[in-house]
Amino acid sequence: MKRLMWTIIIIVAALLTTTFLMLGQSKFGKLPRGARLERIQQSPNYHSGEFRNVTETPVMTSDEGFLKSLYNFMFKDVPGLKPQDSIPMVRTNLRDIPLDSNVAVWFGHSSYYMQINGKRLLVDPVFSNHASPFSWMIKAFKGTNLYSADDMPDIDYLLITHDHRDHLDYATITQIHPRVQRFFCGLGVGAHLEYWGVKPDKITELDWNDTTVPTNGWKIHAVTARHFSGRSFKRNQTLWVSFVLETPGLKLFLGGDGGYGPHLADIGNRFGPFDLAVLEQGQYNHKWAHIHLLPEQLFTALTELQAKQVLPVHHSKFALAEHSWTEPLERISSGAEALSSKVLTPVIGQKVRLPVPAETFGVWWR
């Protein structure tokens, strides 16, 4: 009995030590502390030691339970979960795009580049070949890592919507931050950035409904999103946000991750109409229906935001849910045709002019 007891103690101690050492790695980031934490604690969106959604938002919305859901995610066989071969892509030299051109270039999942009124923007860049703490988990689809941090020109504004690994990538930030003029993110996310070498005076952290004016004619608003945050076991210590960009020529909604809720209509009433909304569409599941947009909610969100067009993201690079990789594109394309809505479905790397003229995009995923 004593031998069994000591064996269990040794195993538990080894697991705890391994976990402690693992969480101490730089890629896990840092929790807010000091003056940053004091500011967080003054936020009206921070309660009982964590950030809270405006609308009650349980992460799981089924009776399956987290462990069973995780097991199904790891081991369930989903037909067409990943493409069998490389998907179509375009190689665009971003440095050669004239600075007076207003364009968007999507890199797969939720990473994209924009040039607007002479400014170069990068949103949620993830150029690693995986979206997890370990290189063998949640690997990018074959061929989708066409772009790297080295391919980016110098960036004026880099926007981070939240700190999940498929939106905030340690390797990408450490490589690119010397060539970024300013970072914009939700409260607390700056702790990760500063820990990874970003100078504090380059970081602007925003609460919901905060506005910053980075240059004349520009406004960046952080607005409500319905999601959660965290890079380790402790959740919701940093704030998840969407962004509204008001520029001299365009008004854009950059959604990041987030489920449907009454906040979308509020944003549309306050800031709309938008020339373009970038909304997530992919890696959804009815098991977590409140934290990601379901396909049938995309067009409702588009209408309530008062957006003329939508660029769907969060698909075609990482498999994070139990649907085939083409399902989001098929479902929203069918909906767009039925509702006469304008859905932009460029291939990875394709240059899209802003505002988007009357043009069609091929069904490249077939």
Side-chain angles (χ1 to χ4, degrees), residues 104-157:
V105 178
W106 171 64
F107 303 123
H109 203 65
S110 294
S111 305
Y112 51 96
Y113 169 85
M114 286 183 166
Q115 279 187 194
I116 303 171
N117 298 115
K119 298 294 182 183
R120 294 185 172 105
L121 287 75
L122 193 58
V123 181
D124 288 354
V126 176
F127 298 123
S128 292
N129 200 40
H130 57 279
S132 74
F134 311 106
S135 59
W136 50 270
M137 285 181 63
I138 314 180
K139 299 186 71 170
F141 297 163
K142 183 179 178 181
T144 56
N145 261 28
L146 183 66
Y147 291 86
S148 71
D150 292 337
D151 295 314
M152 301 300 112
D154 290 348
I155 300 297
D156 295 293
Y157 307 143

Side-chain angles (χ1 to χ4, degrees), residues 1 29 112 114 142 170 242 244-245 267 272 290 297 301 305 310:
M1 180 63 72
Y112 51 96
M114 286 183 166
K142 183 179 178 181
Y170 165 72
S242 296
V244 170
L245 269 57
I267 293 168
H290 295 322
Q297 296 170 329
L305 285 167
V310 61

